[in-house]
């Protein structure tokens, strides 16, 4: 009895396969782009997740993942008993909450203000000037901040404050923990507000102008139009940005990573405020060689972020009957 090929047994499947192959050839350029992105995601995002096992091992680089001794939850217990960890966790929460609150609200306000302006040179100038800081390197921003807030004669802020009698003597702002937190939060607002506002401006561009014109005929004020028309029309965008921001809150939220400022502007004098969980993990893992301990701290941070994403999504579902959630 001669064997029959699967293609002959399933002509419908063979036809579907041919159609898929034909479609792939027509869209070859885009398919290869998607495939490249998928490979990149696999290599740099999913395969490294195997390193999570380090958190449960007494990892030895010479032995590797397979032969390193398994210690279970030991590193997590040691983590919770480390005072430096709790200091970095406290700083992460303070900075992240402050940055999240300001970098979430400020782009919406800026977008609403720009949306109310008529097309003009001033509107274009403000929009361009506001999002240009986003493209400035973190290192450049840190250098600018160091120069601007320097307590020496080469600083910018201190000589002005002393000249106008607001200070008796120069203050090295970046060496004071309290000043450090305020400065980094304001730098994040300056860097990200303009760029984040583009998302909301794009959402406002999709609002039906007939609705706005009808409200003008009804005699509504600008504030009423913003509150009753513009904000409800872009609430889906706001909720999506909110959920994503909450998910990354402990690593910097909608603004940049807490690590950037902590690493570039942190020093021994402001360490009580600048040491965040990211710099703590770097110090433990690469500087002190406690790889498993650092992996445990990183896994804890990632787990908290994942829980926050699901929690924010669940709250969004409960508020608006599944219409506002991402998944």
């Amino acid at each position: 009895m001669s064997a029959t090929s699967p293609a002959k047994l399933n002509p419908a499947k063979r036809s579907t396969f041919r159609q898929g192959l034909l479609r792939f050839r027509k869209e070859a350029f885009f398919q290869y782009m998607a495939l490249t992105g998928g490979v990149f995601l696999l290599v740099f995002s999913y395969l490294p997740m195997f390193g999570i096992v380090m958190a449960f091992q007494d990892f030895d680089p010479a032995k590797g993942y397979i032969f390193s001794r398994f210690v279970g939850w030991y590193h997590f217990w040691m983590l919770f008993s480390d005072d430096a960890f709790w200091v970095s966790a406290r700083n992460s929460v303070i900075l992240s909450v402050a940055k999240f609150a300001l970098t979430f609200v400020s782009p919406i306000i800026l977008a609403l203000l720009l949306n109310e302006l008529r097309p003009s040179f001033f509107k274009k100038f403000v929009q361009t000037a506001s999002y240009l800081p986003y493209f400035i390197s973190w290192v450049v921003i840190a250098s600018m901040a160091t120069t601007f807030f320097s307590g020496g004669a080469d600083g910018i802020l201190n000589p002005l404050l002393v000249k106008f009698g607001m200070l008796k003597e120069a203050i090295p702002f970046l060496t004071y923990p309290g000043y450090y937190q305020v400065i980094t939060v304001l730098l994040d607002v300056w860097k990200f507000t303009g760029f984040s506002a583009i998302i909301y401006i794009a959402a406002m561009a999709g609002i039906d102008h007939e609705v706005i014109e009808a409200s003008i005929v009804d005699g509504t004020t600008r504030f009423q139009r913003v509150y009753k028309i513009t904000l409800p029309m872009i609430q889906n965008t706001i909720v999506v940005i909110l959920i994503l921001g909450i998910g990354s809150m402990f690593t910097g939220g909608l603004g940049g990573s807490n690590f950037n400022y902590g690493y570039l502007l942190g020093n021994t004098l402001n360490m009580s405020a600048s040491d965040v969980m990211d710099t703590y993990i770097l110090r433990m893992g690469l500087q002190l060689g406690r790889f498993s301990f650092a992996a445990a701290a990183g896994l804890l941070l990632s787990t908290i972020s994942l829980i926050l994403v699901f929690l924010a999504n669940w709250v969004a579902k409960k508020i608006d009957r599944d219409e506002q959630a991402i998944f």
Side-chain angles (χ1 to χ4, degrees), residues 129-190:
S130 63
Y131 73 69
L132 280 179
Y134 178 82
F135 300 99
I136 301 176
S137 165
W138 289 107
V139 177
V140 175
I141 290 178
S143 300
M144 292 167 59
T146 302
T147 302
F148 188 82
F149 296 104
S150 173
D154 58 341
I156 297 175
L157 181 62
N158 272 295
L160 289 175
L161 294 178
V162 172
K163 183 177 180 180
F164 288 104
M166 299 178 70
L167 289 178
K168 292 183 179 179
E169 58 182 13
I171 298 175
F173 289 99
L174 290 175
T175 61
Y176 286 78
Y179 289 132
Y180 167 85
Q181 292 180 338
V182 174
I183 289 170
T184 52
V185 170
L186 293 178
L187 284 175
D188 250 35
V189 173
W190 171 73

Side-chain angles (χ1 to χ4, degrees), residues 66-291:
I66 298 176
F67 299 103
S68 293
R69 185 167 61 93
F70 181 78
V71 295
W73 299 95
Y74 172 77
H75 295 295
F76 291 93
W77 294 119
M78 292 295 293
L79 186 68
F80 293 137
S81 62
D82 187 7
D83 292 336
F85 165 75
W86 290 109
V87 171
S88 66
R90 181 201 64 196
N91 293 334
S92 295
V93 171
I94 293 172
L95 286 172
S96 296
V97 171
K99 288 165 60 176
F100 176 78
L102 291 176
T103 54
F104 176 69
V105 175
S106 57
I108 299 176
I109 296 174
L110 178 61
L112 290 172
L113 293 174
L114 289 174
N115 188 59
E116 291 300 314
L117 291 175
R118 294 179 179 177
S120 62
F121 172 79
F122 177 73
K123 180 178 179 179
K124 293 178 182 178
F125 173 79
V126 171
Q127 188 172 348
T128 304
S130 63
Y131 73 69
L132 280 179
Y134 178 82
F135 300 99
I136 301 176
S137 165
W138 289 107
V139 177
V140 175
I141 290 178
S143 300
M144 292 167 59
T146 302
T147 302
F148 188 82
F149 296 104
S150 173
D154 58 341
I156 297 175
L157 181 62
N158 272 295
L160 289 175
L161 294 178
V162 172
K163 183 177 180 180
F164 288 104
M166 299 178 70
L167 289 178
K168 292 183 179 179
E169 58 182 13
I171 298 175
F173 289 99
L174 290 175
T175 61
Y176 286 78
Y179 289 132
Y180 167 85
Q181 292 180 338
V182 174
I183 289 170
T184 52
V185 170
L186 293 178
L187 284 175
D188 250 35
V189 173
W190 171 73
K191 181 175 173 63
F192 287 95
T193 296
F195 186 80
S196 301
I198 295 174
I199 301 172
Y200 300 109
I201 292 171
M204 292 174 192
I207 298 175
D208 190 353
H209 287 282
E210 292 184 0
V211 178
I212 298 175
E213 290 171 1
S215 67
I216 294 173
V217 173
D218 291 338
T220 57
T221 63
R222 282 195 171 187
F223 179 78
Q224 289 174 330
R225 289 198 296 273
V226 167
Y227 180 72
K228 296 183 179 180
I229 297 176
T230 307
L231 285 176
M233 289 287 189
I234 64 168
Q235 63 180 350
N236 290 341
T237 304
I238 293 174
V239 171
V240 169
I241 299 298
L242 178 64
I243 293 173
L244 295 176
I246 290 176
S248 59
M249 179 180 290
F250 282 94
T251 56
L254 297 170
S257 171
N258 289 331
F259 170 78
N260 295 313
Y261 290 126
Y263 185 74
L264 295 170
L265 296 177
N267 52 60
T268 54
L269 296 175
N270 65 20
M271 192 173 179
S272 60
S274 63
D275 189 29
V276 292
M277 290 187 69
D278 292 313
T279 54
Y280 175 82
I281 292 169
L282 173 70
R283 187 170 65 256
M284 292 296 162
L286 295 183
Q287 295 178 2
L288 300 180
R290 302 176 65 182
F291 302 111

Side-chain angles (χ1 to χ4, degrees), residues 305-325:
S305 298
L306 183 65
I307 292 172
L308 287 174
V309 168
F310 279 98
L311 182 63
N313 191 75
W314 178 78
V315 171
K317 283 184 177 182
K318 292 296 181 182
I319 290 175
D320 206 358
R321 299 180 182 177
D322 299 351
E323 293 181 5
Q324 301 294 330

Side-chain angles (χ1 to χ4, degrees), residues 28-86:
F29 177 75
F30 302 103
Q31 295 287 357
Y32 284 128
M33 283 183 64
L35 185 62
T36 304
V39 171
F40 183 89
L41 193 66
L42 176 67
V43 173
F44 293 101
S45 295
Y46 286 97
L47 290 181
M49 289 178 67
F50 182 70
I52 289 174
V53 298
M54 288 175 58
F56 305 95
Q57 295 176 327
D58 186 10
F59 180 73
D60 185 349
K63 296 180 180 179
Y65 297 117
I66 298 176
F67 299 103
S68 293
R69 185 167 61 93
F70 181 78
V71 295
W73 299 95
Y74 172 77
H75 295 295
F76 291 93
W77 294 119
M78 292 295 293
L79 186 68
F80 293 137
S81 62
D82 187 7
D83 292 336
F85 165 75
W86 290 109

